[in-house]
Amino acid sequence: MTSSVSRPSRVAKLPPRERILDAAEELFQAEGIQRVGVQAIAERAETTKMAIYRHFETKDALVAEWLRIVAAEYQAAFDRVEAEHPDHPRDQILGLARFIAHGLPRISHRGCPFVNSLAELPDKAHPARQVIEQHKARQTARLIGMCAAAGLADPGQTAAEITFVLEGAQVSMQNGSVDHVADRLMRTVERILDHA
Amino acid sequence: MTSSVSRPSRVAKLPPRERILDAAEELFQAEGIQRVGVQAIAERAETTKMAIYRHFETKDALVAEWLRIVAAEYQAAFDRVEAEHPDHPRDQILGLARFIAHGLPRISHRGCPFVNSLAELPDKAHPARQVIEQHKARQTARLIGMCAAAGLADPGQTAAEITFVLEGAQVSMQNGSVDHVADRLMRTVERILDHA
DNA sequence: GCCGTGTGATACCGTTCGGTATCGTAAGAA
DNA sequence: TTCTTACGATACCGAACGGTATCACACGGC
């Protein structure tokens, strides 16, 4: 009689590990890593601190796992975009830009999780930093590959330009310094590709 | 005999308020806002917590004052660049880009203070956020003005493009996903201006 | 039946945090 | 000189932090 009727809030409760990661995702994204205590994650996941420490060695390990999942989601989305335009690298690049542009509203309040996490994790040794660096490296390599496949004169330079613009659009969205960010982002990428 | 010979570390000790702000600047930039305690700031400023709370109502007020100073330094640098190329808006814009490019090495380890602070301050009501938003708004208005003065066809769009690139170059420098960031940044801005 | 494992609940530990109270004193203005 | 103001030092407060210990229970495999 303790919990049978207590909280049907989540239909057909997921196993604890998934609930913990879901709760961590929501809270870290909304409030940042440092402001969210392990206790708060446990409460939102409808479990306890002890359960969290059974699945993750430390809070840092949980942070790293969260970012690993976010990176995998980006990776999957990029795979999808790439598959939608086989052998049309220019459309693939525009698809990437469109994916970022579509994600801007969700970013507007709290920014990019990778950028935010880097800001909160100054020590290079933190396990989550390796996750971020690997993700960014893969993303860059993929973009350079697309630019090369598109036959652009200087794939490294064009890839850098597009990277700058994609990242910059996200921080400009967050700090509100530019209006119509999504439209302007798409126009910018198109112009870069046209003049490359 | 308490302190006459103790620590000549800072020549002709500045008044406490300046020392506090200097210490806060160094620590906030190096480790982030939340990881730096008031006690740590006091020690580095060679004073005490009490002295800090005599000059600043709360830690948040100290954070806001720090960002106000950083914003003023950027503003002053931009004024200087603008004055160096009177009536040559294109050179002014390139001067801005060069100023950011020159600052990249200092940013490489710990990123832009405004972006980092936004990541650490999720609540819109924080006094420091207004400082950041006003600074970004002024910066955007100034850039749009330069683009208009340069006779570009769409000053708002070109200013947005340059804003994206400047911000994006800084985050790419921080996360190490792009090499030769300074060179690529300058080339990108030149290309944008050439094709605007 | 039984027994091991994963889970929930609670209490606790040591540390650090932002912020306050108190007191002695050094220095400048009158 | 005397008085006021700013400063330094120390001790303290309540709260929150990351992490651990303990115990009870529910369930699945055998």
Side-chain angles (χ1 to χ4, degrees):
Chain A
M1 39 195 90
T2 54
S3 58
S4 62
V5 210
S6 63
R7 289 283 155 67
S9 62
R10 298 252 201 305
V11 279
K13 255 188 180 177
L14 292 159
R17 190 168 195 277
E18 318 296 322
R19 290 187 339 242
I20 292 166
L21 284 168
D22 283 356
E25 146 76 22
E26 299 172 33
L27 291 175
F28 286 156
Q29 175 64 36
E31 304 183 38
I33 295 171
Q34 316 210 52
R35 302 185 86 90
V36 173
V38 179
Q39 172 73 26
I41 299 175
E43 287 171 7
R44 180 172 260 261
E46 296 181 35
T47 178
T48 62
K49 260 204 303 186
M50 271 312 300
I52 293 181
Y53 283 102
R54 279 198 204 90
H55 290 278
F56 304 93
E57 284 205 345
T58 64
K59 182 188 177 182
D60 287 344
L62 171 58
V63 171
E65 184 63 19
W66 162 57
L67 288 173
R68 215 168 283 125
I69 292 174
V70 176
E73 291 171 353
Y74 273 74
Q75 190 87 349
F78 285 17
D79 288 341
R80 223 177 307 126
V81 167
E82 198 168 353
E84 283 173 3
H85 308 280
D87 300 318
H88 287 78
R90 201 193 125 101
D91 289 336
Q92 290 174 344
I93 296 171
L94 287 172
L96 285 194
R98 200 170 297 115
F99 170 74
I100 298 291
H102 275 58
L104 284 174
R106 205 174 62 114
I107 250 76
S108 68
H109 300 88
R110 269 290 301 165
C112 165
F114 301 114
V115 173
N116 288 349
S117 296
L118 274 189
E120 293 198 76
L121 307 175
D123 54 332
K124 293 271 186 198
H126 195 288
R129 292 195 64 127
Q130 302 176 359
V131 176
I132 297 176
E133 287 165 14
Q134 286 181 16
H135 170 66
K136 290 296 178 188
R138 269 199 301 266
Q139 199 166 320
T140 297
R142 186 195 288 247
L143 191 53
I144 293 177
M146 288 180 184
C147 288
L152 301 181
D154 189 343
Q157 173 65 19
T158 305
E161 295 180 4
I162 291 174
T163 300
F164 292 163
V165 168
L166 294 180
E167 302 273 20
Q170 295 181 74
V171 342
S172 294
M173 187 71 182
Q174 184 181 7
N175 69 31
S177 65
V178 175
D179 51 1
H180 309 103
V181 177
D183 287 349
R184 295 201 192 281
L185 168 60
M186 290 310 299
R187 289 182 56 188
T188 305
V189 174
E190 289 167 9
R191 291 167 62 88
I192 289 176
L193 289 176
D194 286 343
H195 300 99
Chain B
M1 37 193 88
T2 54
S3 60
S4 63
V5 210
S6 64
R7 289 282 157 67
S9 61
R10 299 251 200 306
V11 279
K13 254 189 182 179
L14 293 160
R17 188 169 196 277
E18 318 295 321
R19 295 194 329 254
I20 292 166
L21 284 168
D22 283 356
E25 145 76 23
E26 298 172 35
L27 292 175
F28 287 157
Q29 177 63 35
E31 305 184 38
I33 296 172
Q34 317 210 50
R35 303 186 84 92
V36 174
V38 179
Q39 172 73 27
I41 298 174
E43 287 172 7
R44 181 172 259 260
E46 296 181 35
T47 178
T48 62
K49 258 203 307 185
M50 271 313 300
I52 293 181
Y53 284 101
R54 273 197 277 269
H55 291 279
F56 304 93
E57 283 204 345
T58 64
K59 182 188 178 184
D60 287 343
L62 171 57
V63 171
E65 184 64 18
W66 163 56
L67 288 173
R68 213 169 282 126
I69 292 173
V70 176
E73 290 171 354
Y74 273 74
Q75 190 87 349
F78 286 16
D79 288 341
R80 223 178 306 126
V81 166
E82 198 168 352
E84 283 173 3
H85 308 280
D87 300 319
H88 288 78
R90 201 192 124 102
D91 288 337
Q92 291 175 344
I93 295 171
L94 286 172
L96 285 194
R98 200 171 296 114
F99 170 73
I100 298 290
H102 275 58
L104 283 175
R106 204 172 63 113
I107 250 77
S108 68
H109 299 88
R110 268 291 301 166
C112 165
F114 301 114
V115 173
N116 288 349
S117 296
L118 275 189
E120 293 199 78
L121 306 175
D123 54 331
K124 293 270 184 195
H126 196 288
R129 291 195 65 127
Q130 303 175 0
V131 176
I132 298 176
E133 287 165 15
Q134 286 180 17
H135 171 65
K136 291 296 178 186
R138 269 199 300 266
Q139 199 166 322
T140 296
R142 187 194 287 247
L143 192 53
I144 293 177
M146 289 181 182
C147 289
L152 301 182
D154 188 345
Q157 172 67 19
T158 305
E161 294 180 6
I162 292 174
T163 300
F164 292 163
V165 168
L166 293 180
E167 302 275 19
Q170 295 181 73
V171 342
S172 294
M173 187 72 181
Q174 184 181 7
N175 69 32
S177 65
V178 175
D179 52 0
H180 308 104
V181 178
D183 286 349
R184 296 202 192 279
L185 168 59
M186 291 310 299
R187 288 183 56 191
T188 305
V189 174
E190 289 166 9
R191 292 167 61 87
I192 288 175
L193 289 176
D194 285 344
H195 299 102

